[in-house]
Amino acid sequence: MPDIVDPLTRSRMMAGIRGKDTRPEMTIRRRLHALGYRYRLHPKDIPGKPDLALPRYRAAIFVNGCFWHGHSCHLFRLPGTRTDFWTAKIEANRKRDRVVVDALQASGWRQLVIWECAFRGRGSIGLDKVIAAATKWIESDEKNAEIMGGPDGAG
């Protein structure tokens, strides 16, 4: 299926997509801050530069977009054009994610991934449940965890 916009327009559109301070990330940040959690944003000294780092809990939180990280849910669909490019890009993101998990563990940090499908789309469990699960994880000793959408979403 051909793209509906010219390459220059598509390039400009893709360049406008943020890598940090995204709407899902800001939503999670606001809710956790309102509950009294204090964190650092994208710290360069922590592997993977997590979206939120809670040093008191040695906890790193990533708010991942399902498309960009190739999540196996209804929000991910490989584009019909330039499939070789997108397959390579998304696989490189997944590989980097695995390296980051290992580096965080080696440095004594715990990791939580909150997937976009957890609070967006047909499989959403809702923002309140996402925040409840995140705060439960922060207060626990659990090493690595994920929060994702329900059966219709992340499966």
Side-chain angles (χ1 to χ4, degrees):
M1 178 175 163
D3 201 347
I4 61 172
V5 297
D6 63 275
L8 189 59
T9 302
R10 176 63 62 202
S11 178
R12 190 178 69 249
M13 290 166 63
M14 297 306 287
I17 296 172
R18 295 170 169 246
K20 53 185 174 180
D21 300 333
T22 62
R23 185 175 296 140
E25 182 185 328
M26 297 296 288
T27 301
I28 299 296
R29 283 167 35 181
R30 284 185 191 108
R31 294 288 296 269
L32 289 176
H33 191 272
L35 292 171
Y37 291 98
R38 298 301 178 254
Y39 45 79
R40 293 172 47 209
L41 301 176
H42 314 287
K44 292 179 172 69
D45 60 331
I46 299 173
K49 293 186 249 178
D51 298 320
L52 293 92
L54 293 90
R56 176 180 174 188
Y57 301 94
R58 299 282 295 168
I61 299 177
F62 294 88
V63 182
N64 284 355
C66 295
F67 173 76
W68 297 104
H69 295 268
H71 192 229
S72 60
C73 72
H74 72 285
L75 294 179
F76 174 72
R77 193 180 94 221
L78 193 63
T81 58
R82 301 181 64 207
T83 54
D84 291 341
F85 167 80
W86 286 110
T87 300
K89 171 140 185 76
I90 291 165
E91 187 51 44
N93 290 348
R94 287 175 161 176
K95 183 178 181 181
R96 187 180 61 246
D97 291 345
R98 289 188 295 271
V99 168
V100 166
V101 169
D102 293 341
L104 283 168
Q105 285 180 329
S107 59
W109 283 82
R110 305 178 305 126
Q111 176 195 11
L112 174 66
V113 175
I114 301 174
W115 290 98
E116 175 186 17
C117 61
F119 51 91
R120 182 174 165 255
R122 68 176 180 256
S124 169
I125 61 172
L127 186 57
D128 289 339
K129 287 185 180 179
V130 169
I131 296 301
T135 57
K136 182 179 178 183
W137 176 82
I138 290 168
E139 299 287 341
S140 76
D141 291 329
E142 189 176 351
K143 292 289 181 201
N144 295 327
E146 293 182 304
I147 301 172
M148 60 184 89
D152 294 334

